[in-house]
Structure formats: C-alpha cells, structure tokens
Amino acid sequence: MRIAKIAAVTAALAIGLAACGGGSEGTKSGGETPKAAKPDKLTVWRFGPPDDKHNAFMAEVGAEFQQKHGVKVEVQFIPWPDTTKKLQAAATSGSGPDVTEIGNTQVVTWAAQDTLVDLTDKIAGWEEGKQIPEALWVNETIEGKKYAVPWLGGVRAVIYRKDWFKELGIEIPKTWDELLAAAKKISSAKKGVSGFEINGGSDSMHAVAPFIWGNNGQIVANEGGKWTGKLGTPEAKEALTWYTNLVLKEKVAPESGVTRNSVDISRLFANGKTAMFVDGAWAKTVLKEANKDLTDDKIGAFPLPTKTGGVAPQFAGGNDLAVWKDSKNQDLAFEYIKLLASKEKAAKYAPIAGLLPFYPDLLAGDTYKNDEWLGPFAQAMPFGRTYAVHSNWVKAEETVMQQLLTSVIKGKSVDEAAAEADKQIDQTLNQ
Amino acid sequence: MTTTSQANPVRGGGHRAPAPPRAHRPSRRSRRVGRLTPYVLLLPGLLIIAGLLLYPMYQLLVMSTQKVGLRQIRGAEADSVGAENYERILTSEVFWSSLRNTIVFAAVAVTLTLLVGTLVGILLNKLGKRMSTAVVVSAMLAWATPQAAVAVLWRWLFDEQSGVANRAFDLLPDWLSELLFGRADWTGYTWFLESFPTYVVLTLCVVWASFPFIAVSVLAGLRSIPGELHEAARMDGAGAWRAFWRVTFPMLRPVFSVLVVLSIIWDFKVFTQLYILANGMGNKEVFNLSLYAYAEAFSSPPAMGMGSAIAVVLTVILLIITGVYVRQIVRQEEV
C-alpha cells in the first residue's frame, strides 16, 4: 500500500517535471515597459565574429561619434547563427540595443513584429542617403515605409584553390559543363578531396539559388498578390537535378554535404578537403584564420557561371542598419547610422568586411573590379536578386531547400521533392 | 530510492505483524492539530508548484488557443483562434512523424534501458566489493555527464568523416557487414540524414546515459531481499532464470514500477540530445514532439501558440500513459 502511494506520488512529481519541460514556452513576460537606456551611452549590435580589424574600425567610428555628439558608443558583436535568438530575447525582455545590424531579408520579419522603428521620414531628410538607388531599398520597404538602411552588400561567388587549378592546368570554368569537368578532374587527381562541395545546410538557399536563376528559373513569384513556390518549374528542376547529381551521379561531393552549411564547408576547405564552394567574400578571413598556410596565391574566387556561359545572378545579401523600437534615443541612433552608412565609412569598411558598398559611384570605380579578391564578387553585384519580401520568408529560406536536397539525396525524385518544397513555400507564405 | 528500503520482505508468503500500539492515547485537541499538520506542511511545496508549474501550465493551455508572436509577448492583445492551432498540427505531416518518432523511440529506449540496467544491477549484486565499486563508479560517470556533453560525444563518435563508428564498421569483413547492415562501404556514411539511423544513435546515447540509474536502483532493491529466499528457492531446485522470475522480480516489482514510469517520462521528452545530434532544426523528418514544439515556438518568426498546442498534446499523452500505469500499480498493490 505504502509503496504504491510513494510510487504514485513519485510518478506525479515526475510528470510535473515532464510538463515543465514541455511547458517552458508558457512563460510570458507580459507587457513590460522597455528599460530606459543610459542617455550617455548608445548600444550597437553588430553581427559576426569580432576580430581586430572590425573592432578597430568600429572604435574609430565610435570615437568620431562621441566627439560630435558627446555620447559613448558601445559595440557588441553577435555570432550570425545566434542573431535570431538574441533579437528575440531582446524583443521579449525589452532590453535591446539602440542600433542593430540586420540581414536584409530579416527586415520584413522584424518590422512585422513591431520591433523596428519606421525610418521613412528620417531617411527622407538624409541627403547622402539619396545617392543609394531606390531599387536597392526593396527589402527595406514594407507597405511604403522604410525600416532599415542598406549599409553594405554581399554577393556570393565560387571560392577555389588557385594552386590546385594551376597544378592540374584547369582554366576558370565558364559554363556548368566546365565547372563539372574541373570538379571531376580534381576529385580524381586528389584523394579524399571533393571537387565541388554542395551546401545543404541552413543557408543552402543562397548556394542553390544562383544555379536556378542561372538557368532562367525562379524560386518564388508574386502572382496577383499571392506568393507561390516555383521550384517545380522545368528550369528550376533542371538546376536542382544538376546540383544533386554532383553527389548522386558524378560523385564529386560527398552525400554528407547536405548536412553542412557554409561555415562547416569553409572548415573543410581550410583543411584541404574541398577544391570549390560557393560563399561570400567575407569567408576569406575565416579561411585564413583556420589555416595560416592558405596564402593569397592559394585561394581565389570566380563568379559562378550560368549554364551556358555568363555570370549567374546571385542573392543580393545585404547588411542593413536599423533602429530598435525599444531604444530611448531614436534620433541619436539614426545620427549614428548616418555616420556609419556614410559614403566615406562605407568605402573604408567594405574591403575590411569583404562586402561591397551600395553607393553607385563607389562601385563604378575600378577599386573593386580590379581587386583580385573582391573583383569576382563585384562582377556578380549588378546581377543581385532577392526572394519574397514577406515576413514568413525567413522560415522558408532556412528549411525548404535543406529539406528538398536531403530528400533527393536520400532517393526521392526531384519532381516529387520540388513539388513538396513548393507546397511548403505556399503554406509558409500564406499562413 | 527510498522506496526499496520499505519493501516488505515477506510479501507473497508470510504474514506481517501489526504495528505496535502507540504508547499513550493523544488528547482530542492534539489529534485535531495532528490532522492538520500534514496539510500545513504541504502548503509551501504546493505554493511553489502552483507558481512554477500550475500557472505556466495554465498559460500554456491558454496560449495554445491563441495566435502568439513576438508582438503579443511585447504586450499586444493576443487573438483567440479557438482550436485552429490544434487543427493545424493534427493535419500536418510533421506532427504525425514526430508522434511516431516519439512513441517508438520511448518504447525502444525504455525497454533497453531497463533491460541493460537490470542486468548490470544483477551483475553488481554478484560482484565482490571492490569490483562492484569500480563498475558503479564508472557507470555513474556516464550518468553524471551532462546531456549536452553526452550528445556531442556521440555525435563525434558517429561523425561521417572522422568518426570512430564508421572506421570500426569499415574494419568488418565485407561479407559480414553486407550480411548485417546491407552495406560494405562505410566511408562517409552519414548517420544524421534519415530518421532511422539518427534514432539508432539517439537510443545508444540515451540508454548509455540512463542505465546506471536503473542499475543502482535495482542493486539497492536486490540488497534488500533477504538471502534466505533465494536459498530456499535454490533448495527447491529453481535455476537462476526461475529464481529471478519467481523471487527477485516479484520482490522488486514496486521498484520496477517506479523505474518504468520515470523512464517513460524521461524518454518521451528527450530534447537536448536530439537537438544536438540532428544539428538544429533543419531536418523535419527527425523531429520528435519536443523538438517540433520548440521549432514552431522559437524559430523566426515565432509561433508560440502552435508550440504550446504541441506541448499540450505531449503533456496529455504523457499524463494518460502514466495515469493508466500508476492506476495499475495501485490496484495491484491493493489486491
């Protein structure tokens, strides 16, 4: 009897704990009023790993700002994979930054959640900002209101092992066929090296999209106000087949590639396990840090070709700057953005960050085109594209392509997987 | 396990002597105070449980019928959507595959944990003092390792490129490997792509970390069984197998009951290990209900209402299973 009771009570308690585990989502902080930031300090959140060069630049801008406005600037770097969690926590607790960096496709998501300040009027009064072409504000403009400032842009290209190309006498590929031939040549010449690494991780959308666009295909389209997935169209399917065949048929990439994102792949590249992969110019710092032997004569980049020759359109990634809604110093925050996004600072910081400025006259000069490293990325810049400007897009972006690639590698037909992906996109965007 | 020391050693055969009468008869007043005391003592605990558990659970229920995003958490009024969240999860494929993963995994993991745990417990009972201490200490190390560390460890062991598991399988003769697993080449085999291999590793990972607790509990139970009973069984000609099922198992039934319930609860809501093994939330096929709830509630933009609805379903399933089981135990004990 007694034992039975003890057993029952123990079980009941354990269930309690179980419910606790499942129910932790239940905690809710209610309508807390945001804490006032100290008026003598401006908090800025930057995304990415802090290294000396970035810190030095931010300190310089901070000093200039302090001199002008008498306010100290505190910069905090947040690693990219943690940004969503960190912003979410800031939004829930009300203790966010004054200014935050933000990915351009994220702007619509965070603006829809009422966490960013409407900057339309402030931007209208910013003379220098008018030089940024209106077409580059697509991701930042929601229902006619601007919620962020495009700061620096980034497009992707193929990063490759220059020394191996030279050693094996491979020319820079100009078409898909040449790209495949190059990958095959390296795979067979070097044991344990994949010729062209596929990306099936959280950022695989950015790696696969240029192949689809480079085949005149689409990913999503707005038809009469409704967003629909276009991965099931013949052009997109052809590109997806080509991409997955790198693993399935040509064997120039391992199937485990579908579990890796660009950060994982760059680690493989740094360790000499990969000859080519698609990533942005910012990857160079990381690669060099991971392997000191990767000198400039060993890493190079070339624009990803389209199927038949030409530069494939790339996702126009952008690092934007926005004012956080809970900020008590919104005017001052925008003053800081004006300084950081000014032409002078953008020109100075772009090469440090491996990004490109949005000011047309800066881009037009030969500085970037002739730069051996940034040049190939700058070439793809005019072909920049984006996906759906929709508050749920981020959700689709992070999972749909990953799911599609995984199921194809596991044996599903491209037809079926693409149809499923389209269904997912439709569901996510029309919830 | 305090329960084991309470085990009545002569159940199933003997007759227990009634408790000795109290030394003096208490007065009426002290009897009333005595009747109230347990409730007063329970009060602080109840208050804490109400604050930390019942209220959040109530919130969970409320949120599961609402559309809750960041905007609502920041103070906006949440709109009620009735049963829409539930409708949506019940019609989603991910929910059903998560449910299947959760239940199959719990069934397999609970069985294996109890089996291995009991066997090790019996082994410990047979071993000499020094040896048994060594085994207990090394097993306890596995149990004491934080879940996150355990998961990272197993992920490394099963890494597709440099994991020791793939190397070891590669060393098997090809015909044997082909016969056992249907493949001879293990280089680059990716374990965390499909749900079956992922759950194989998860099972190993969870069983490895949780059998020591079962083993030690069983050992404590075994130590409380008087030696004469086994001696008598042996005299009557029972072998080890028969002696286990006729003497040891019935004596340890209460211990097993608690262990089964605890294991079911633990294995149903496994989260940390799966989250780390699956490397995030990209592969929906490997979701279990906990991971599914988390993915809905905390990815960007958050859908906390959906997440709550899934958590409610998980809690209800657990309550039903545990409720039925506990009732059964109580009934058995009452007979």
Side-chain angles (χ1 to χ4, degrees):
Chain A
M1 260 316 291
R2 203 155 161 208
I3 296 157
K5 267 188 198 152
I6 291 173
V9 169
T10 319
L13 271 179
I15 289 198
L17 298 177
C20 234
S24 56
E25 290 93 287
T27 47
K28 194 176 167 186
S29 73
E32 225 174 280
T33 44
K35 255 182 230 155
K38 272 187 204 163
D40 60 343
K41 190 179 82 181
L42 201 70
T43 315
V44 177
W45 281 4
R46 285 288 325 274
F47 294 172
D51 72 13
D52 295 345
K53 283 193 223 157
H54 295 269
N55 277 330
F57 172 80
M58 293 309 289
E60 187 193 306
V61 177
E64 196 177 320
F65 185 81
Q66 188 169 12
Q67 209 176 28
K68 227 186 254 172
H69 300 275
V71 175
K72 218 179 119 203
V73 180
E74 207 180 89
V75 179
Q76 206 185 327
F77 277 88
I78 299 156
W80 268 104
D82 296 339
T83 52
T84 300
K85 269 178 220 143
K86 187 92 182 176
L87 290 177
Q88 214 141 285
T92 349
S93 65
S95 57
D98 293 298
V99 174
T100 185
E101 181 174 346
I102 195 157
N104 59 355
T105 53
Q106 292 178 324
V107 173
V108 59
T109 311
W110 292 99
Q113 300 184 99
D114 204 23
T115 54
L116 303 180
V117 176
D118 172 9
L119 298 173
T120 321
D121 296 339
K122 290 194 171 82
I123 289 167
W126 176 35
E127 276 311 312
E128 203 175 17
K130 288 194 178 119
Q131 296 180 29
I132 301 172
E134 200 56 37
L136 294 177
W137 294 82
V138 187
N139 287 302
E140 291 76 13
T141 314
I142 293 116
E143 288 167 4
K145 289 178 185 158
K146 293 186 174 120
Y147 286 91
V149 172
W151 178 29
L152 291 165
V155 286
R156 288 165 174 78
V158 182
I159 296 176
Y160 75 109
R161 280 296 291 262
K162 236 192 224 174
D163 50 337
W164 292 351
F165 268 51
K166 202 184 254 174
E167 185 189 321
L168 299 168
I170 305 170
E171 292 285 312
I172 298 285
K174 294 275 192 299
T175 62
W176 285 3
D177 287 343
E178 288 179 29
L179 188 65
L180 178 60
K184 274 181 164 168
K185 200 162 184 181
I186 295 170
S187 286
S188 53
K190 301 211 171 271
K191 209 178 161 282
V193 171
S194 20
F196 186 98
E197 199 79 40
I198 70 156
N199 175 335
S202 49
D203 57 353
S204 49
M205 185 64 87
H206 306 322
V208 182
F211 286 96
I212 296 174
W213 287 329
N215 197 30
N216 296 316
Q218 280 181 301
I219 291 164
V220 274
N222 192 339
E223 286 167 346
K226 197 172 166 239
W227 289 98
T228 33
K230 288 283 170 197
L231 293 167
T233 52
E235 294 85 3
K237 280 197 289 196
E238 192 190 352
L240 289 167
T241 309
W242 190 87
Y243 194 75
T244 44
N245 270 348
L246 292 171
V247 176
L248 296 173
K249 201 169 130 217
E250 314 293 351
K251 314 260 181 223
V252 293
E255 68 169 18
S256 52
V258 292
T259 62
R260 295 198 191 95
N261 60 26
S262 60
V263 177
D264 302 326
I265 298 171
S266 60
R267 214 174 298 141
L268 288 181
F269 186 91
N271 289 328
K273 300 255 182 215
T274 293
M276 290 184 268
F277 77 111
V278 175
D279 205 356
W282 54 82
K284 194 181 188 178
T285 332
V286 183
L287 293 175
K288 284 190 155 178
E289 215 156 86
N291 184 355
K292 298 267 182 301
D293 296 334
L294 282 180
T295 44
D296 279 348
D297 56 325
K298 286 187 179 146
I299 341 176
F302 60 85
L304 185 85
T306 61
K307 188 186 171 196
T308 50
V311 177
Q314 289 282 345
F315 161 62
N319 298 30
D320 290 2
L321 297 168
V323 177
W324 197 246
K325 191 102 177 208
D326 295 331
S327 165
K328 288 282 176 205
N329 314 300
Q330 299 183 355
D331 291 330
L332 210 55
F334 191 73
E335 285 302 314
Y336 181 80
I337 290 182
K338 269 160 73 176
L339 178 68
L340 196 59
S342 67
K343 205 188 257 186
E344 185 209 334
K345 299 290 175 233
K348 187 161 184 201
Y349 188 51
I352 300 175
L355 295 166
L356 298 161
F358 283 119
Y359 292 99
D361 50 334
L362 288 181
L363 262 182
D366 288 338
T367 338
Y368 297 100
K369 276 200 189 118
N370 292 347
D371 188 288
E372 205 185 348
W373 174 249
L374 285 175
F377 296 93
Q379 278 181 49
M381 194 74 171
F383 303 97
R385 288 211 201 166
T386 193
Y387 313 102
V389 185
H390 188 291
S391 61
N392 276 350
W393 171 254
V394 180
K395 214 175 212 170
E397 181 185 298
E398 284 172 0
T399 56
V400 168
M401 192 51 79
Q402 195 172 358
Q403 203 75 39
L404 187 158
L405 295 174
T406 310
S407 51
V408 173
I409 299 295
K410 277 183 334 201
K412 211 174 239 179
S413 72
V414 171
D415 285 351
E416 221 177 309
E420 215 160 85
D422 277 344
K423 206 175 102 194
Q424 275 247 297
I425 293 179
D426 295 353
Q427 269 174 8
T428 313
L429 298 187
N430 297 303
Q431 259 176 22
Chain B
M1 292 312 297
T2 49
T3 51
T4 54
S5 58
Q6 316 261 355
N8 178 353
V10 278
R11 205 168 65 83
H15 195 81
R16 196 183 179 194
R22 285 202 195 148
H24 60 91
R25 189 178 280 265
S27 74
R28 189 169 293 173
R29 207 190 124 192
S30 77
R31 212 186 297 158
R32 196 188 307 138
V33 170
R35 215 180 295 145
L36 280 176
T37 317
Y39 298 100
V40 174
L41 289 175
L42 274 177
L43 202 63
L46 274 178
L47 280 178
I48 290 174
I49 290 178
L52 292 181
L53 186 66
L54 297 182
Y55 177 69
M57 273 181 84
Y58 160 76
Q59 274 290 350
L60 188 74
L61 265 176
V62 172
M63 278 168 75
S64 73
T65 63
Q66 292 174 332
K67 194 182 164 98
V68 185
L70 264 190
R71 200 187 266 270
Q72 283 71 33
I73 292 174
R74 283 162 69 78
E77 201 56 47
D79 294 329
S80 175
V81 292
E84 198 196 304
N85 288 333
Y86 290 97
E87 261 166 48
R88 214 187 293 156
I89 56 172
L90 291 178
T91 51
S92 120
E93 282 168 32
V94 185
F95 172 76
W96 294 104
S97 70
S98 310
L99 185 64
R100 181 201 65 206
N101 288 345
T102 310
I103 291 177
V104 175
F105 168 74
V108 174
V110 169
T111 315
L112 280 178
T113 314
L114 282 169
L115 196 70
V116 177
T118 310
L119 289 177
V120 174
I122 293 172
L123 174 73
L124 286 171
N125 199 32
K126 291 258 153 64
L127 288 174
K129 200 169 178 198
R130 209 177 285 168
M131 211 42 213
S132 104
T133 312
V135 175
V136 167
V137 168
S138 40
M140 275 320 210
L141 278 179
W143 191 59
T145 313
Q147 292 175 346
V150 170
V152 169
L153 202 103
W154 283 92
R155 199 182 152 82
W156 282 348
L157 289 176
F158 284 84
D159 186 86
E160 65 271 359
Q161 289 219 313
S162 27
V164 85
N166 281 357
R167 291 276 167 87
F169 281 128
D170 252 345
L171 289 179
L172 286 177
D174 279 0
W175 62 267
L176 186 64
S177 171
E178 192 78 44
L179 191 73
L180 289 177
F181 310 106
R183 66 185 297 141
D185 181 21
W186 288 88
T187 10
Y189 177 73
T190 316
W191 287 85
F192 307 107
L193 216 55
E194 291 177 70
S195 70
F196 181 70
T198 308
Y199 274 86
V200 169
V201 181
L202 182 68
T203 309
L204 279 170
C205 171
V206 168
V207 170
W208 179 74
S210 47
F211 86 85
F213 175 71
I214 310 284
V216 172
S217 309
V218 169
L219 175 66
L222 286 172
R223 292 260 160 94
S224 75
I225 299 177
E228 304 92 67
L229 283 175
H230 275 114
E231 220 167 278
R234 225 176 297 132
M235 295 278 279
D236 290 344
W241 182 256
R242 211 173 150 83
F244 177 81
W245 287 110
R246 287 301 160 95
V247 180
T248 318
F249 186 73
M251 297 292 297
L252 292 184
R253 187 181 297 241
V255 180
F256 279 118
S257 306
V258 175
L259 292 178
V260 167
V261 175
L262 283 175
S263 300
I264 289 177
I265 292 167
W266 286 335
D267 291 348
F268 245 89
K269 61 191 185 91
V270 156
F271 175 81
T272 318
Q273 294 95 322
L274 182 61
Y275 184 82
I276 292 172
L277 288 180
N279 198 12
M281 303 175 287
N283 194 354
K284 290 191 174 139
E285 204 190 302
V286 306
F287 279 11
N288 67 2
L289 286 178
S290 315
L291 194 53
Y292 182 38
Y294 180 81
E296 283 295 337
F298 292 105
S299 56
S300 174
M304 305 234 168
M306 287 277 284
S308 306
I310 301 164
V312 168
V313 172
L314 177 61
T315 312
V316 167
I317 294 175
L318 260 180
L319 277 174
I320 292 174
I321 295 181
T322 328
V324 168
Y325 198 81
V326 167
R327 250 185 81 139
Q328 229 176 8
I329 301 171
V330 174
R331 277 214 185 128
Q332 277 174 2
E333 290 291 326
E334 272 168 357
V335 169

